[in-house]
Amino acid sequence: MSCTFTARLCLGLTLSLWIPVLTGSLPKPILRVQPDSVVSRWTKVTFLCEETIGANEYRLYKDGKLYKTVTKNKQKPANKAEFSFSNVDLSNAGQYECSYSTQYKSSGYSDLLELVVTEDYWTPSLSAQASPVVTSGGYVTLQCESSQSYHRFILTVEGPQNLIWRQDSQYNYSTRKYHALFSVGPVTPNQRWICRCYSYDRNRPYVWSPPSESVELLVSGNLQKPTIKAEPSSVITSERAMTIWCQGNLDAEVYFLHNEKSQKTESTQTLQQPGNKGKFFIPSVTQQHAGQYRCYCYSSAGWSEPSDTLELVVTGIYEHYELRLSALPSTVVTAGGNMTLHCASHSHYDKFILMKEDKKFTNSLDTVYISSSRQYQALFIIGPTTPTHTGTFRCYGYYKNAPQLWSVPSDLQQILISGLSKKPSLLTHQGHILDPGMTLTLQCFSDINYDRFALHKVGGADIMQHSSQQTDTGFSMANFTLGYVSSSTGGQYRCYGAHNLSSEWSASSDPVDVLILIPGQLPITPSLLVKPNHTVHSGETVSLLCWSMDPVETFILSKEGSAQQPLRLKSKSHDQQSQAEFSMSAVTSHLSGTYRCYGAQDSSFYLLSSASSPVELTVSATENQDHTTENLIRMGMAVVVLIVLSILATEAWRSHRQTHPAAGN
């Protein structure tokens, strides 16, 4: 037994001395695999064993055992052998190496190559602990997590360096999941950092779970920062489509978009011409899209600086109670004055935000609860106002813990800032007192060549705007047809003019009162009488007394067919009557006409009672003409008397002369 062992030992030593001499003279081959060393089941995989000598035979080994052999006459091209697997399975996972031989010599083994096959395990998730954004030279912590029990997790980074980290899994009792933390770095700005993680059991180290979704680290580099913009707006209604654009330098290869509250990034390689922009399209915006965004671009020169922050706000999230926005004291304010916009809701919000539709004005205030009205409100004081405040405003509600999630907006509130340019004129062709159902048109016109006109009902929220038309006489004008009048039509109206290239409106026109006659609005019919008489002479004083046995707060006196505003007087109580006396002194003939009076209450100032019976007033100038004739007659008679007296005096003088000479003779 001892002799046999000695002989075998000697033979082994001899062979061990000969084999290195035989294999050491040939360079070792290189083993590669396509498409990757980590593949899913049923993928076609090809191993390539490459050398530079020109071998006769190639051998592929798996886990230290000969797996396949290929001879040269079957190889195309030379110096390379292919070992193909049409559908890899879990049994194909393992460590591979190859060698080759010439007619007299054999090479050493190539470096080991691990083939990993993934199967349908539970897919782990990968996330950045704080943020995937990291500065050059910095570190970031990534967490790989799975609900399934695995012994180990693996983190890989795509790229030529083929970086890989392995960690034992830890059980997290709070999340009831298995996880591992990987510290990645130092991160350099000259490459992309696309990370994925896998999980596996210790007893099958080359059979992995499917890969997690990738997490790409965003490296804050030194290249020029791109610009970021949202279309149609950075304040977008929920479920609407929108696009975020990122534009960098012309060398950019790929753009990245990052929501700062998210641990993931979005990238696009679809560069839109012109301008080499990255397009991030969101077909339906949700709450999850709200937040602060930055974008980055990467090129062969490295990473850019981050863009400025884009705040994306999603509206229409809360619909508990509608918000109401109103302007105090009016929706029309003279330039330089102050106005207050009042936002209110019966639903609780931490803050209200006021926004002008062109986004040139935004302000937020804490809400205040008003117990008397049982609502929350905020008062936005704006002033001194300028023409730039002209426009439409909305208000929204939101909570401090979600500042980019806003409520349904209030209705639009139009604001008009009037300036100092020449005021236009406003008139109505239908008269100032209308019956319900009549059509009302107000005409605004000016000798200034205004491009547009606006009509505003004092105390109302709406402002109507129309383009102007030019008349043959050189006036600019616009007709505002208010349709069939109703109780809501009554009020005082003013109009304004403006040029297209300016946000400044003119001074206000003189007001026009529109009074609506609604029978039964006040269950009274006042009476009207004239003092001292229905017919008076020019220059005299006349009074029209409107009275009622029922309580009336205000009386209105209107002249039929007159373009002048009706007269108003507060009533006075006299002998248990409500009455108002409209006194007109030094009357002239143009005051002749038919008069009616109406009653109104202060609470509905422009809604009238039924009309009184009509009263005719005649101002006569005849009395003045008779006096003139009489005066002329008197003057004529005086002249005749003077002539007669002159004749008599002359005759008397002549008779006296004739008498004196006779006496002398």
Side-chain angles (χ1 to χ4, degrees), residues 650-663:
T650 301
E651 289 297 329
W653 179 75
R654 287 178 178 174
S655 299
H656 179 70
R657 286 190 63 182
Q658 292 175 358
T659 305
H660 280 287

Side-chain angles (χ1 to χ4, degrees), residues 320-324 342-349 352 367-378:
H320 314 309
Y321 292 96
E322 65 177 359
L323 277 72
R324 297 175 304 282
H342 175 243
C343 184
S345 173
H346 287 289
S347 181
H348 168 255
Y349 292 100
F352 286 135
T367 61
V368 177
Y369 181 69
I370 307 300
S371 57
S372 59
S373 60
R374 295 182 179 180
Q375 65 181 10
Y376 295 84
Q377 70 172 32

Side-chain angles (χ1 to χ4, degrees), residues 151-164:
H151 293 115
R152 307 205 79 188
F153 288 103
I154 294 176
L155 180 72
T156 64
V157 177
E158 290 184 13
Q161 296 180 350
N162 196 26
L163 299 175
I164 187 168

